């Protein structure tokens, strides 16, 4: 697929010459809203930056809907749990948008322990002419007031403000890894390593536990929950994935506590692939329903799998993301890369899936044509508005001119978070502290 | 044997990672700790199988002295309280050298010397019937020439301490590191 590039750097320019990034600027989540007009990113410093797509204008047809910064706010601050003597990181683990119901935008953002509902709205008018205070806000001396006036709304420079409307806290003992808004638009769930809680968006002092896999004896712990998501259309159905490589589908109508699943998706392990690290690489790092709700996609360390909800015994399709790493698992274990949690996304029509890899590479797989492509998100290798060149990793033998060998891959440059516009071919790719937005080329 | 050496290296690294994850910001990550524990288990199993295979070939008579408790717990305990990371291996490893696993003499002393060299690394022992929680007699478990750094608490008391600590602290409590005195491998995850 031909691509335009438009790079947006969040951090200030003095870092341009340096290879390292301030840790607080590392992007930890990327999410388009339901129309694709807004794109939100969260970072390790607890900030959320929202981008808005420019309206297409006739006089500048080549600037076709670029994304500009719309709002920036500090969502979470570092906290300290005095009881357990633990610091709670402010890193934003996930952002999920609520569907738009009025002029304001709402999103949920979460760190390890607390979920917050933020309202983002525009203000372009302000009231002027109060009686008791002047326009700067200073209290007027009552003795100087000689006449009454009615305040009027006057236009002002557009201001975008973000206000926390709800704070959902103290419900999770373990670290929150997912949030998912239900299709009823009234509830959402938050997931930590061992439990899933169901919340009403209006109520912050109570949540319902719907899944609890904590064993009575923690010594018997064998698996944890790694991700969870509501079905896009059925408000009673959700799935959660585990560190053992299985996915459970649950129906909330069956019982209040969904410890027993309705469906269990697992592929038996190939014994010939067994190694020291089999458990680690089979742990699922992300699970996503297709837009249609018919399919499920899971990401483990080396593969992406597409499952049909009607077939539990094995996935429908398996795509190898970077199988050349299979022989390098030992070194990836040494440098901790084997614990990296990659996400995966569907395109709007569920025909293409995308996920990230190392060396700032990301991969796309076309489910219909079975073609795949590897692209790179880097400023050195792509100028703005240039077409992205497909990349190839050489797995052995003779290396061709443009190929890169496995040993030259930079494992510190990993693409964990990507997002795809809900209806158009626009993708957002987070590469450490940089955000890349790619669009389809227009002739 | 490469597999054995690799297994040992993996176990050592897992211990190092588990230890360093304690000082990580945000507290212990349950998922990561679980994966490390699983890796350690499978590395330990493979290491054990490799040595059992060797033992049966070499027909060594003193194989029964591999005890239940693992020095890994000691490692975790000591790492919590001191900065040194090496652990003295009290349990005899049946095959002292990778190159000559099957030619070990039955005399404990020369083998013991080799073992003490190896003991400087972090080695977990391989209980053949690890489901049994009973610790074998101390004389069989610990050769006299190896220093014993094991704390004096009995196993049952330790587990009670751990359990009561776990009950009061749901998770991710740094204080549990003081109660981590010898835990079997399967209990390692309980500390988090």
């Amino acid at each position: 697929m031909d691509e335009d590039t438009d790079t947006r750097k969040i951090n200030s320019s003095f870092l341009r010459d340096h290879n390292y990034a301030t840790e607080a600027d590392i992007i930890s989540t990327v999410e388009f809203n339901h129309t694709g007009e807004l794109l939100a990113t969260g970072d390790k410093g607890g900030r959320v930056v929202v981008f808005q797509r420019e309206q297409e204008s006739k006089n500048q047809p080549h600037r076709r809907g670029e994304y500009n910064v719309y709002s920036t706010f500090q969502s979470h601050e570092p906290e300290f749990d005095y009881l357990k003597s633990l610091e709670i990181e402010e890193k934003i683990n996930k952002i999920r948008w609520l569907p738009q119901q009025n002029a304001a935008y709402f999103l949920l953002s979460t760190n390890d322990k607390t979920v917050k509902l933020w309202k983002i709205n525009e203000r372009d008018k302000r009231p002027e002419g109060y009686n008791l205070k002047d326009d700067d806000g200073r209290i007027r001396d009552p003795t100087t007031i000689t006449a009454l006036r009615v305040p009027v709304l006057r236009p002002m420079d557009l201001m975008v403000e973000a206000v926390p409307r709800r704070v959902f806290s103290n419900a999770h003992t373990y670290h929150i890894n997912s949030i998912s808004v239900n299709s009823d638009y009234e509830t959402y769930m938050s997931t930590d390593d061992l439990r899933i809680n169901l919340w009403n968006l209006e109520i912050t002092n109570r949540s319902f536990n719907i899944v609890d896999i904590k064993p009575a004896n923690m010594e018997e712990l064998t698996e944890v929950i790694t991700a969870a998501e509501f079905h896009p259309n059925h408000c009673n159905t959700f799935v959660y994935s585990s560190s053992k490589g299985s996915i459970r589908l649950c129906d909330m109508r069956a019982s209040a506590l969904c410890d027993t699943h309705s469906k269990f998706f697992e592929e038996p392990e190939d014994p010939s692939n067994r190694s020291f690290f089999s458990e680690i690489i089979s742990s699922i790092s992300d699970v996503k329903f297709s837009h249609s709700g018919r399919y499920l996609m899971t990401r483990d360390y080396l593969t992406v799998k597409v499952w049909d909800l009607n077939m539990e015994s094995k996935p429908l399709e398996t795509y190898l993301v970077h199988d050349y790493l299979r022989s390098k698992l030992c070194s990836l274990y040494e440098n901790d890369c084997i614990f990296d949690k990659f996400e995966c996304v569907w395109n709007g029509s569920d025909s293409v899936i995308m996920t990230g890899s190392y060396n700032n590479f990301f991969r796309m797989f076309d489910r219909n044509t079975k073609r795949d492509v590897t692209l790179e998100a880097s400023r050195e290798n792509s100028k703005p508005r240039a077409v992205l060149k497909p990349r190839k990793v050489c797995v052995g033998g003779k290396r061709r001119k443009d190929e890169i060998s496995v040993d030259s891959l930079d494992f510190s440059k990993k693409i964990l978070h990507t997002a795809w516009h809900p209806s158009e071919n626009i993708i957002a790719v987070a590469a450490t502290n940089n955000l890349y937005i790619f669009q389809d080329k227009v002739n | 044997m490469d597999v054995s050496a690799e297994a040992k290296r993996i176990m050592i690294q897992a211990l190092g990672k588990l230890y360093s994850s304690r000082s990580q910001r945000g507290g212990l990550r349950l998922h990561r700790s679980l994966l490390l524990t699983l890796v350690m288990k499978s590395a330990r199993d493979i290491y054990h199988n490799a040595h059992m295979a060797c033992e049966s070939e070499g027909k060594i008579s003193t194989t029964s002295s591999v005890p239940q408790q693992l020095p890994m717990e000691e490692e975790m305990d000591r790492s919590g309280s001191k900065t040194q990371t090496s652990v003295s291996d009290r349990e005899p490893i049946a095959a002292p050298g990778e190159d000559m696993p099957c030619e070990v003499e039955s005399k404990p002393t020369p083998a013991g010397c080799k073992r003490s060299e190896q003991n400087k690394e972090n080695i977990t022992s391989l209980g053949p019937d690890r489901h049994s929680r009973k610790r074998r007699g101390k004389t069989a478990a610990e050769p006299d020439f190896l220093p014993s750094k094991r704390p004096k608490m009995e196993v049952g008391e330790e587990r009670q301490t751990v359990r009561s600590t776990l009950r009061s602290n749901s998770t991710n409590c740094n204080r549990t590191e003081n109660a981590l005195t010898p835990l079997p491998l399967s209990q390692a995850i309980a500390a988090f």
Side-chain angles (χ1 to χ4, degrees):
Chain A
M1 162 164 116
D2 293 341
E3 307 275 6
D4 259 354
T5 73
D6 177 29
T7 301
R8 175 76 55 196
K9 197 147 87 89
I10 293 181
N11 199 7
S12 54
S13 59
F14 80 90
L15 279 185
R16 203 192 303 265
D17 299 330
H18 300 263
N19 283 330
Y20 62 87
T22 308
E23 204 173 302
D25 295 323
I26 295 176
I27 301 171
S28 50
T29 184
V30 189
E31 186 82 357
F32 278 100
N33 75 338
H34 292 260
T35 58
E37 183 204 350
L38 297 179
L39 174 67
T41 63
D43 65 23
K44 266 191 134 181
R47 283 167 308 206
V48 172
V49 181
V50 179
F51 299 86
Q52 186 187 43
R53 195 176 185 193
E54 261 178 25
Q55 298 302 320
E56 298 184 23
S57 63
K58 294 189 186 62
N59 30 339
Q60 286 188 315
H62 64 280
R63 288 182 71 82
R64 203 178 56 89
E66 292 185 354
Y67 284 82
N68 300 315
V69 178
Y70 180 62
S71 171
T72 305
F73 55 94
Q74 186 75 31
S75 170
H76 286 74
E77 299 273 5
E79 282 170 39
F80 196 77
D81 182 340
Y82 294 98
L83 187 62
K84 296 176 186 160
S85 295
L86 278 182
E87 206 179 346
I88 300 172
E89 270 191 291
E90 67 276 26
K91 172 168 82 95
I92 308 292
N93 292 334
K94 282 285 178 337
I95 289 175
R96 289 288 181 262
W97 290 93
L98 265 56
Q100 199 174 1
Q101 287 170 324
N102 51 34
Y105 303 102
F106 288 89
L107 61 78
L108 285 171
S109 71
T110 185
N111 69 348
D112 282 339
K113 299 286 181 181
T114 304
V115 185
K116 291 189 185 180
L117 175 70
W118 286 88
K119 175 181 174 185
I120 303 165
N121 59 324
E122 295 179 12
R123 222 177 254 232
D124 60 356
K125 296 188 209 0
R126 67 160 183 219
E128 284 177 17
Y130 282 107
N131 292 294
L132 296 178
K133 57 180 182 182
D134 62 24
D135 291 336
D136 295 332
R138 283 192 296 260
I139 310 289
R140 288 171 78 192
D141 180 3
T143 55
T144 62
I145 300 173
T146 54
L148 276 181
R149 57 189 181 177
V150 177
V152 291
L153 289 174
R154 289 212 199 284
M156 60 178 249
D157 290 339
L158 179 65
M159 183 182 77
V160 181
E161 61 174 8
V163 177
R165 298 296 296 185
R166 305 271 187 278
V167 177
F168 306 91
S169 56
N170 296 323
H172 285 280
T173 310
Y174 303 94
H175 296 116
I176 297 176
N177 53 53
S178 314
I179 45 175
S180 178
V181 183
N182 203 348
S183 51
D184 63 8
Y185 303 154
E186 281 184 10
T187 56
Y188 77 95
M189 66 175 171
S190 56
T191 308
D192 68 27
D193 292 320
L194 297 178
R195 298 192 179 97
I196 301 181
N197 292 332
L198 183 72
W199 302 83
N200 183 303
L201 283 163
E202 301 294 327
I203 300 170
T204 58
N205 59 2
R206 201 182 331 149
S207 73
F208 292 97
N209 177 243
I210 52 176
V211 173
D212 188 343
I213 65 166
K214 183 176 178 184
N217 186 357
M218 276 295 274
E219 299 160 8
E220 291 157 9
L221 182 72
T222 53
E223 66 181 324
V224 297
I225 303 173
T226 51
E229 198 183 41
F230 269 116
H231 191 280
N233 305 318
H234 305 311
C235 58
N236 53 285
T237 306
F238 66 92
V239 292
Y240 68 92
S241 59
S242 88
S243 55
K244 271 192 175 170
S246 62
I247 308 105
R248 288 171 178 80
L249 184 139
C250 300
D251 188 332
M252 293 197 290
R253 298 170 301 188
S255 66
L257 192 58
C258 299
D259 276 356
T260 48
H261 51 262
S262 301
K263 289 189 193 240
F264 182 74
F265 301 85
E266 192 177 46
E267 185 176 28
E269 190 196 348
D270 181 2
S272 63
N273 274 337
R274 179 112 190 100
S275 75
F276 287 112
F277 310 107
S278 295
E279 281 106 354
I280 303 185
I281 63 169
S282 62
S283 174
I284 293 177
S285 51
D286 194 16
V287 66
K288 290 264 170 45
F289 272 105
S290 65
H291 291 92
S292 61
R294 166 105 191 261
Y295 302 105
L296 202 55
M297 171 164 56
T298 58
R299 174 73 155 97
D300 53 56
Y301 190 64
L302 297 177
T303 69
V304 185
K305 294 178 181 166
V306 175
W307 302 76
D308 187 324
L309 284 192
N310 300 316
M311 184 165 71
E312 300 168 53
S313 53
K314 60 184 170 79
L316 206 56
E317 301 147 22
T318 301
Y319 300 93
L320 304 178
V321 182
H322 37 218
D323 208 55
Y324 45 79
L325 297 182
R326 200 177 283 273
S327 52
K328 310 271 176 199
L329 292 179
C330 207
S331 8
L332 293 166
Y333 163 74
E334 272 176 61
N335 63 15
D336 272 355
C337 283
I338 205 174
F339 299 103
D340 287 335
K341 297 191 179 144
F342 292 94
E343 292 173 7
C344 52
V345 288
W346 297 88
N347 73 338
S349 57
D350 299 334
S351 58
V352 182
I353 58 181
M354 174 168 71
T355 188
S357 178
Y358 293 103
N359 209 74
N360 279 351
F361 287 170
F362 56 100
R363 305 261 281 139
M364 286 188 199
F365 302 92
D366 189 318
R367 296 177 61 217
N368 300 324
T369 65
K370 300 300 178 202
R371 279 181 19 217
D372 62 85
V373 68
T374 304
L375 299 168
E376 183 177 2
S378 96
R379 259 167 304 159
E380 291 83 32
N381 291 328
S382 53
K383 305 278 183 299
R385 271 169 253 297
V387 172
L388 278 182
K389 204 174 57 170
R391 305 302 310 256
K392 191 137 162 54
V393 176
C394 158
V395 288
K398 210 153 152 343
R399 185 179 78 91
R400 274 187 274 255
K401 190 169 70 109
D402 281 335
E403 287 182 0
I404 180 165
S405 71
V406 180
D407 298 313
S408 321
L409 292 174
D410 187 344
F411 290 97
S412 66
K413 295 189 182 162
K414 51 194 91 168
I415 293 184
L416 304 173
H417 312 288
T418 58
W420 204 308
H421 189 285
S423 49
E424 295 184 38
N425 278 342
I426 305 173
I427 57 175
V429 175
T432 317
N433 63 328
N434 291 321
L435 181 72
Y436 292 81
I437 300 175
F438 301 105
Q439 301 185 13
D440 243 357
K441 191 172 161 74
V442 170
N443 299 323
Chain B
M1 277 185 288
D2 280 340
V3 173
S4 176
E6 201 188 352
K8 198 162 83 177
R9 206 175 80 235
I10 287 170
M11 285 191 290
I12 293 165
Q13 282 169 0
L15 284 170
K17 288 180 201 293
L18 277 168
Y19 171 55
S20 63
S21 67
R22 288 184 185 193
S23 47
Q24 231 175 35
R25 238 187 124 218
L28 287 166
R29 301 271 154 189
L30 188 64
H31 184 200
R32 190 182 147 97
S33 309
L34 177 67
L35 292 178
L36 284 168
T37 311
L38 292 173
V39 164
M40 210 150 38
K41 266 188 188 165
S42 62
R44 183 191 70 173
D45 293 344
I46 291 171
Y47 189 69
H48 168 64
N49 290 336
H51 280 275
M52 287 297 280
C54 247
E55 282 169 24
S56 55
E57 282 175 37
K59 295 189 185 61
I60 297 166
S61 55
T62 54
T63 56
S64 61
S65 51
V66 184
Q68 197 44 48
Q69 294 295 341
L70 307 168
M72 185 266 318
E73 315 90 53
E74 266 194 27
E75 155 68 16
M76 294 175 81
D77 171 42
R78 224 170 297 108
S79 307
S81 50
K82 305 176 199 167
T83 52
Q84 69 195 31
T85 54
S86 64
V87 66
S88 82
D89 185 31
R90 298 155 300 100
E91 289 82 6
I93 304 296
E98 316 297 357
D99 303 327
M100 31 174 256
C102 309
E103 293 160 344
V104 177
E105 304 161 40
S106 52
K107 277 186 264 178
T109 323
C113 291
K114 274 237 160 152
R115 279 199 293 274
S116 55
E117 275 167 17
Q118 280 191 322
N119 294 338
K120 297 218 178 9
E121 307 176 60
N122 305 330
I123 308 169
T124 63
S125 85
L126 321 150
D129 50 336
R130 52 192 176 274
H131 300 292
S132 152
R133 302 248 166 146
K134 278 197 171 357
R135 204 203 305 200
R136 296 166 201 253
K138 279 212 159 139
T139 48
E142 300 174 30
D144 295 332
F145 48 79
L146 289 171
S148 167
K149 291 189 186 170
R150 182 188 292 276
K152 298 302 177 199
M153 259 172 94
E154 285 305 317
V155 173
E157 287 173 30
E158 288 151 3
R159 274 206 215 95
Q160 275 175 18
T161 312
V162 170
R163 287 217 188 93
S164 58
T165 316
L166 283 173
R167 267 198 287 277
S168 52
N169 310 313
S170 311
T171 184
N172 293 354
C173 179
N174 287 340
R175 291 189 279 126
T176 58
E177 70 189 43
N178 299 325
L180 272 180
T181 52
L183 285 176
L185 177 59
S186 60
Q187 285 186 6
I189 196 66
F192 305 124

